[in-house]
């Protein structure tokens, strides 16, 4: 660590249950306060011992798995896939496999911040809009049951191929934004009043999906909501004794913030056990969604090992309407990541990310989404806000820990029975989780309002209209799918998907109105937002090293840059 950092004694929080007294003594110099005064156990460039990395990585894995699992519960019914289809587990395994690879590349060669990248709810909104087009709507369940096994399989595969092509091609726009350097120029138009409708509508527009799952049994769903609220909000400072061992003191009890770190895991486990007891005593009738044996055969039907591969459901197909509609998810993910990067840097004790690091990060995120589309995950990739929050909770911002987490995800993505286990979670439990998770996503978008003046009638007009109208228009088009008639079938589909995607409608309205209606920079929140982003474009020079440099080859790149400047007078951007 740099000599300039102020080392202090801090509580190791989540690490204390695995750190012996000897390990604490050996690693106490890793505890410091960053420039913002935040206590950090391990900074971004620190390399904790391998045995600590495994447990710290497990925390990040458990944090992201809930978000990954939630996506197929919404996606697969829209694909016309039956509830007991083992392919649901294959899709989950594919998502985790893609998450492992994309996360490792992003952390090592992309923006180099300790962020986890994987499936995102942001792509579900345009996905559902596409699948609600007349040509992609599911037939009745009775018709599906009358089909042969091959026809049932092809029914969802043809839809998956359409989504895969739309995701992969639309992500090329994000690749272009990142590697062309346009992010530094575009970011000035991504104002707080653009972020608010774009991000918050990701959660708000999925309320019907949450209601559908939760209504399968409101008692179980409310129990899930109550427990998750209790663990994550009321009991965060309650520590439970956990046995530990050290060579000097032998076995002893160390208090551990179990509720603070694992509220989702604890909630699912407790409610799952409760549903198992109700199933055992036949409290629920046979076939009830809250029973734990409804989809139990999925585990037996799933293979132990299965390596996902590109085109596993058939090679992607591409349509103009699908690509343009999926651009809404790409834009939403780009906006989210731009806002996450400086926050993550602050949490892990790193300097604000320079523009070249943000460009690389967005470019690699686009490549990750292209890869996810080709792999047939049915989704794209984005920065997990849950894992960003985990850094703030655990005070562990080491890049090496996320690389270890990638290895854990890769193993789970190949062992297919693990993916099948998550599919059999009773649906009312999932519905309760949706109510919390989608609400938190909406709250993250609304948090950007802290930068703007809310006593401004101009701002209130933009917020109210962009959010309300973007819910009204898609709702009407879903009820009237053939309302747009231009005489051109392709154009009809394009306009229907665009107008049915709430995050695209809300984001475009918010961005247009905020950049055209007169308002002062203070009123629009631009000054406070610029201070939060604090973007720079200064590259490192000479032998100087940077947190955001590539792990290899930087000396050669600097020599090329200096040579270009000296002989040709060219500006060379990192």
């Amino acid at each position: 660590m740099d000599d300039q950092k102020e080392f202090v004694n801090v509580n190791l929080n989540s690490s204390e249950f695995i750190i012996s007294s000897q390990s604490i003594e050996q690693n106490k110099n890793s505890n410091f306060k960053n420039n913002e005064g935040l206590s950090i156990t391990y900074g971004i460039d620190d390399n904790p011992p391998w045995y600590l990395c495994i447990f710290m990585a497990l925390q990040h894995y458990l944090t992201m798995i809930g978000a990954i699992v939630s996506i197929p519960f919404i996606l697969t019914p829209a694909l016309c896939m039956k509830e007991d289809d083992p392919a649901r587990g294959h899709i989950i395994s594919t998502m985790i496999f893609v998450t492992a690879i994309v996360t490792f590349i992003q952390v090592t060669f992309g923006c180099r911040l300790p962020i986890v990248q994987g499936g995102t709810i942001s792509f579900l909104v345009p996905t559902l809009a596409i699948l609600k087009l007349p040509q992609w709507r599911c037939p009745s369940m009775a018709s599906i049951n009358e089909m042969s096994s091959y026809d049932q399989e092809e029914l969802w595969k043809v839809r998956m191929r359409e989504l895969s092509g739309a995701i992969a091609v639309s992500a090329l726009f994000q690749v272009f934004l990142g590697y062309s350097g346009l992010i530094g120029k575009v970011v000035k138009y991504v104002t707080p009043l653009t972020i608010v409708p774009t991000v918050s509508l990701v959660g708000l527009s999925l309320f019907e999906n949450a209601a559908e799952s939760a209504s399968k049994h409101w008692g179980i769903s409310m129990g899930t909501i109550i427990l998750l609220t209790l663990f994550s909000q009321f009991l965060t400072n309650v520590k439970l004794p956990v046995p530990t061992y050290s060579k000097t003191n032998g076995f002893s009890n160390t208090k551990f913030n179990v509720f603070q770190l694992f509220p989702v895991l604890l909630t699912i486990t407790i409610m799952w056990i409760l549903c198992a007891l109700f199933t055992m005593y036949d409290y629920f009738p046979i076939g009830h969604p809250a029973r734990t044996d409804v989809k139990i055969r999925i585990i037996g039907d799933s293979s132990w090992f299965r390596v996902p591969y590109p085109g596993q459901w058939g090679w992607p197909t591409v349509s103009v309407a699908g690509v343009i509609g999926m651009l809404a998810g790409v834009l939403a993910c780009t906006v989210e990541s731009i806002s996450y990067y400086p926050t993550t840097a602050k949490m892990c004790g790193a300097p604000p990310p320079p523009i070249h690091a943000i460009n690389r990060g967005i470019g690699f995120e686009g490549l990750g989404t292209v890869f996810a589309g080709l792999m047939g995950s049915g989704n794209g990739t984005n920065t997990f806000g849950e894992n960003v929050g985990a850094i703030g909770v655990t005070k562990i911002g080491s890049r090496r820990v996320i690389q270890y987490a990638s290895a854990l995800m890769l193993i789970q993505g190949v062992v297919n029975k693990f993916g099948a286990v998550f599919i059999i979670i009773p649906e009312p439990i999932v519905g309760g989780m949706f109510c919390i998770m989608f609400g938190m996503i909406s709250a993250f978008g609304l948090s950007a309002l802290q930068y703007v003046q809310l006593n401004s009638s101009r701002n209130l007009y933009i917020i109210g209209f962009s959010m309300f109208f973007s819910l009204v228009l898609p709702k009407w088009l879903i009820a009237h799918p053939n309302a747009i008639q231009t005489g051109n079938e392709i154009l009809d589909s394009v306009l229907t998907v665009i107008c049915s995607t709430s995050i695209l409608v809300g984001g475009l309205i918010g961005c247009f109105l905020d950049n055209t209606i007169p308002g002062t920079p203070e009123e629009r929140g631009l000054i406070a937002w610029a201070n939060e982003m604090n973007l720079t474009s200064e590259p490192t020079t000479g032998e100087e090293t940077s947190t955001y440099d590539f792990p290899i080859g930087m000396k050669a790149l600097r020599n090329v840059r200096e040579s270009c400047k000296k002989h040709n007078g060219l500006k060379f951007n990192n």
Side-chain angles (χ1 to χ4, degrees):
M1 302 301 303
D2 296 338
D3 294 336
Q4 297 176 350
K5 292 177 178 174
E6 178 186 359
F7 294 97
V8 297
N9 293 322
V10 298
N11 189 339
L12 293 184
N13 291 326
S14 63
S15 304
E16 62 187 2
F17 78 109
I18 52 174
I19 301 180
S20 65
S21 58
Q22 182 178 1
S23 298
I24 293 176
E25 182 66 26
Q26 291 174 348
N27 295 293
K28 65 182 180 181
N29 287 336
S30 293
N31 303 321
F32 63 90
K33 284 187 177 180
N34 66 3
N35 294 333
E36 302 292 334
L38 301 174
S39 296
I40 303 294
T41 303
Y42 289 104
I44 187 171
D45 294 315
D46 291 339
N47 295 322
W50 65 269
Y51 51 89
L52 296 185
C53 281
I54 292 176
F55 285 96
M56 295 172 184
L58 181 61
Q59 293 177 141
H60 277 282
Y61 169 79
L62 293 173
T63 299
M64 57 73 64
I65 195 65
I68 285 285
V69 170
S70 66
I71 295 171
F73 276 94
I74 297 177
L75 175 62
T76 52
L79 289 173
C80 315
M81 185 182 293
K82 298 180 68 175
E83 289 187 0
D84 58 352
D85 194 327
R88 288 193 175 201
H90 298 164
I91 293 175
I92 286 185
S93 296
T94 301
M95 286 185 176
I96 297 174
F97 184 83
V98 169
T99 296
I101 295 176
V102 175
T103 296
F104 182 84
I105 295 176
Q106 181 71 284
V107 172
T108 308
F109 300 103
C111 67
R112 288 182 54 77
L113 286 167
I115 57 176
V116 176
Q117 298 231 274
T120 170
I121 301 294
S122 298
F123 276 96
L124 277 180
V125 181
T127 293
L128 296 178
I130 292 171
L131 294 178
K132 286 176 181 176
L133 290 173
Q135 64 267 35
W136 297 120
R137 290 194 174 184
C138 296
S140 65
M141 186 54 63
S143 300
I144 295 177
N145 291 331
E146 292 175 358
M147 295 179 179
S148 65
S149 298
Y150 174 81
D151 290 336
Q152 288 180 358
E153 186 175 326
E154 188 63 22
L155 183 68
W156 68 264
K157 280 187 176 181
V158 69
R159 287 161 173 77
M160 178 65 88
R161 292 195 288 268
E162 175 72 10
L163 293 180
S164 298
I167 290 169
V169 175
S170 65
L172 294 176
F173 177 71
Q174 193 175 26
V175 175
F176 173 75
L177 277 180
Y179 291 123
S180 66
L182 284 177
I183 286 296
K185 301 181 182 301
V186 172
V187 73
K188 64 181 180 180
Y189 298 105
V190 182
T191 62
L193 290 180
T194 301
I195 294 174
V196 169
T198 303
V199 179
S200 61
L201 284 167
V202 171
L204 291 176
S205 58
L206 294 173
F207 77 93
E208 289 182 338
N209 301 91
E212 182 179 355
S213 296
S215 62
K216 297 296 177 67
H217 193 284
W218 279 110
I220 298 298
S221 298
M222 289 306 299
T224 303
I225 293 171
I226 291 171
L227 282 182
L228 185 54
T229 303
L230 182 67
F231 294 156
S232 66
Q233 303 301 319
F234 291 96
L235 300 180
T236 53
N237 295 322
V238 176
K239 298 182 179 181
L240 297 181
V242 175
T244 58
Y245 174 79
S246 67
K247 292 181 179 180
T248 56
N249 300 325
F251 286 99
S252 61
N253 286 329
T254 301
K255 291 187 176 181
F256 170 50
N257 285 357
V258 63
F259 299 115
Q260 185 181 49
L261 293 175
F262 306 121
V264 174
L265 181 65
L266 285 173
T267 299
I268 292 177
T269 302
I270 292 173
M271 294 306 300
W272 206 344
I273 293 174
L274 183 62
C275 287
L277 292 175
F278 285 150
T279 301
M280 184 185 304
Y281 292 102
D282 288 327
Y283 178 81
F284 300 125
I286 301 297
H288 192 282
R291 289 182 66 98
T292 55
D293 59 358
V294 173
K295 295 176 282 188
I296 194 69
R297 77 175 186 86
I298 292 179
I299 296 180
D301 292 342
S302 299
S303 58
W304 271 104
F305 298 98
R306 181 180 182 275
V307 180
Y309 56 91
Q312 57 184 329
W313 320 124
W315 285 105
T317 57
V318 180
S319 67
V320 177
V323 171
I324 294 179
M326 205 61 74
L327 274 175
V330 171
L331 294 174
C333 290
T334 303
V335 170
E336 283 189 74
S337 292
I338 290 174
S339 60
Y340 275 134
Y341 289 171
T343 302
T344 306
K346 185 185 298 184
M347 285 184 175
C348 60
I355 290 178
H356 67 80
I358 293 179
N359 284 334
R360 285 204 315 266
I362 297 300
F364 269 101
E365 186 173 313
L367 289 176
T369 299
V370 172
F371 178 65
L374 296 178
M375 291 292 290
S377 69
N379 206 264
T381 61
N382 190 25
T383 302
F384 274 127
E386 295 90 340
N387 291 85
V388 173
I391 294 175
V393 171
T394 62
K395 306 296 187 292
I396 299 167
S398 170
R399 184 187 296 116
R400 181 62 53 85
V401 170
I402 304 299
Q403 292 170 335
Y404 269 69
S406 300
L408 292 179
M409 297 172 201
L410 190 65
I411 294 172
Q412 213 248 280
V414 173
V415 182
N416 204 48
K417 282 193 183 293
F418 285 154
V421 168
F422 294 107
I423 288 296
I424 69 173
I425 298 175
E427 197 165 354
I429 297 178
V430 178
M433 300 296 297
F434 282 169
C435 292
I436 299 292
M437 294 176 61
F438 296 165
M440 288 301 296
I441 294 172
S442 300
F444 175 74
L446 294 173
S447 67
L449 292 175
Q450 65 183 298
Y451 302 106
V452 306
Q453 293 181 3
L454 289 178
N455 59 352
S456 165
S457 59
R458 169 198 182 274
N459 292 344
L460 294 177
Y461 179 88
I462 295 174
I463 296 168
F465 180 68
S466 62
M467 293 188 66
F468 188 81
F469 184 73
S470 58
L471 290 173
V472 170
L473 184 60
K475 188 72 175 178
W476 180 78
L477 279 174
I478 291 174
H480 303 83
N482 298 315
I484 298 179
Q485 297 289 340
T486 64
N488 185 298
E489 186 176 347
I490 296 179
L491 182 59
D492 291 346
S493 298
V494 170
L495 293 177
T496 300
V497 171
I498 290 175
C499 296
S500 300
T501 308
S502 57
I503 58 175
L504 183 58
V505 175
L508 290 177
I509 292 176
C511 182
F512 174 76
L513 294 180
D514 190 40
N515 286 283
T516 54
I517 298 177
T520 65
E522 294 86 355
E523 185 181 17
R524 298 173 60 194
L526 299 184
I527 296 177
W529 178 240
N531 291 335
E532 174 71 18
M533 294 298 290
N534 196 19
L535 300 179
T536 61
S537 57
E538 292 299 323
T540 53
T541 58
E543 296 298 321
E544 182 185 354
T545 59
S546 167
T547 293
Y548 303 99
D549 282 350
F550 283 126
I552 56 174
M554 287 307 301
K555 185 176 180 180
L557 286 175
R558 292 192 186 97
N559 290 338
V560 171
R561 181 184 63 215
E562 294 301 324
S563 177
C564 289
K565 284 183 176 181
K566 181 177 179 180
H567 298 290
N568 301 319
L570 298 176
K571 292 184 179 180
F572 189 83
N573 294 323
N574 265 6

